[in-house]
Amino acid sequence: MQIRVINPNTTLAMTAKIGAAAQRIAAPGTHIAATQPASGPVSIESHFDEAISAVGVLEEVLAGEREGADAYVIACFGDPGLMAARELTRAPVIGIAEAAFHMAALISTRFSIVTTLGRTGIIAEHLLEQYGFRHHCRRVRAAEIPVLDLEENGEMALNRIIDECRRARDEDNIGAIVLGCGGMADLTEEISRAVGLPVIEGVTAAVKLSEAVVGLGLGTSKHGDLAFPRPKAFTGQFEHFSGLTPIGRALPKQE
């Protein structure tokens, strides 16, 4: 099984960390290809960053189609470009926020999210509503650290995250914690030991869900709004999308 794990930002160290975490959790025989766009923001901390990064995500999905990927993971907690990516392939495409919410709801009746910045917490709140998990989440908390501090000031960032997770445990009446950033993919075990609660992060959750969906012989439906995009002309820097005919090679054709 080939799973393409796409880091939507362009920071190589974060891509490598995400890929290593994904490969550690993957089943024997699952190959992880950790990739990132050729251009875009070095971190994703706003709606603007997400909008720019979404195009890079779609480029990476198209590359994965040419290489025969069986599934895709979008490794940013805002799930940028998720629905558009699903239009491009029959393979499952799983965003790490959606995966983490599902996993947390399977093991607890209530969870809190601990993310990086308060402004990105608002994006997480929107996703909770969109995915139907608002009732399950008690609170979205922020450690108030820039995303790149996870790479450049790792110990400080970890301590801030642990402190916020402890406050969530003590104040929110929860059973689990969801980490709200793909750059936290390597921190779950250490945080769980420090806090004494199950800790879920979306990269590893999405990898296991990808394996399950592929193993069940399921893929993205091409009936309705997730059908392949209609070929059309594009202009300017997007001209290479003109007449796009997605390959859809990952799974047998669905009608």
Side-chain angles (χ1 to χ4, degrees):
M1 189 183 302
Q2 307 285 328
I3 300 178
R4 193 175 185 93
V5 178
I6 303 166
N7 172 21
N9 74 41
T10 58
T11 296
L12 281 168
M14 189 172 292
T15 302
K17 179 172 66 176
I18 287 169
Q23 192 65 67
R24 279 195 301 272
I25 202 69
T30 295
H31 173 71
I32 301 295
T35 69
Q36 65 184 50
S39 59
V42 296
S43 63
I44 298 172
E45 298 171 319
S46 66
H47 297 290
F48 177 78
D49 295 342
E50 284 195 3
I52 299 299
S53 69
V55 176
V57 168
L58 302 182
E59 296 275 15
E60 288 300 312
V61 171
L62 292 172
E65 291 296 280
R66 292 190 292 271
E67 295 169 14
D70 296 300
Y72 300 88
V73 170
I74 299 179
C76 169
F77 205 76
D79 293 351
L82 176 60
M83 292 303 173
R86 285 176 174 164
E87 289 183 348
L88 296 180
T89 178
R90 299 184 191 278
V93 183
I94 299 180
I96 65 171
E98 188 174 23
F101 298 161
H102 277 286
M103 204 66 72
L106 289 174
I107 64 166
S108 65
T109 55
R110 293 289 188 273
F111 61 84
S112 285
I113 300 169
V114 175
T115 188
T116 50
L117 297 172
R119 66 181 296 167
T120 62
I122 297 170
I123 295 172
E125 290 174 355
H126 290 171
L127 292 181
L128 287 164
E129 293 282 356
Q130 178 181 333
Y131 298 151
F133 286 96
R134 194 67 190 91
H135 178 69
H136 295 268
C137 183
R138 296 287 291 181
R139 187 170 177 181
V140 180
R141 292 173 168 269
E144 295 300 349
I145 53 173
V147 168
L148 290 186
D149 274 6
L150 294 164
E151 309 304 312
E152 299 166 359
N153 299 290
E155 185 174 356
M156 179 276 293
L158 175 60
N159 290 335
R160 294 278 294 273
I161 295 165
I162 288 174
D163 287 344
E164 198 60 43
C165 287
R166 285 175 173 151
R167 282 189 281 271
R169 175 198 63 194
D170 296 340
E171 299 172 9
D172 295 353
N173 192 26
I174 55 172
I177 291 170
V178 168
L179 299 181
C181 179
M184 300 178 185
D186 60 337
L187 302 180
T188 52
E189 292 183 8
E190 191 167 356
I191 294 173
S192 185
R193 284 195 301 269
V195 178
L197 289 179
V199 175
I200 302 102
E201 66 78 33
V203 173
T204 50
V207 167
K208 300 313 287 185
L209 286 175
S210 296
E211 290 176 336
V213 175
V214 173
L216 288 168
L218 299 173
T220 301
S221 173
K222 294 294 109 182
H223 180 78
D225 65 312
L226 295 181
F228 291 123
R230 291 170 58 87
K232 65 184 62 177
F234 286 73
T235 60
Q237 63 180 310
F238 300 122
E239 186 176 1
H240 60 289
F241 289 132
S242 294
L244 177 68
T245 304
I247 297 170
R249 59 186 286 182
L251 290 169
K253 185 177 181 181
Q254 302 170 16
E255 297 296 344

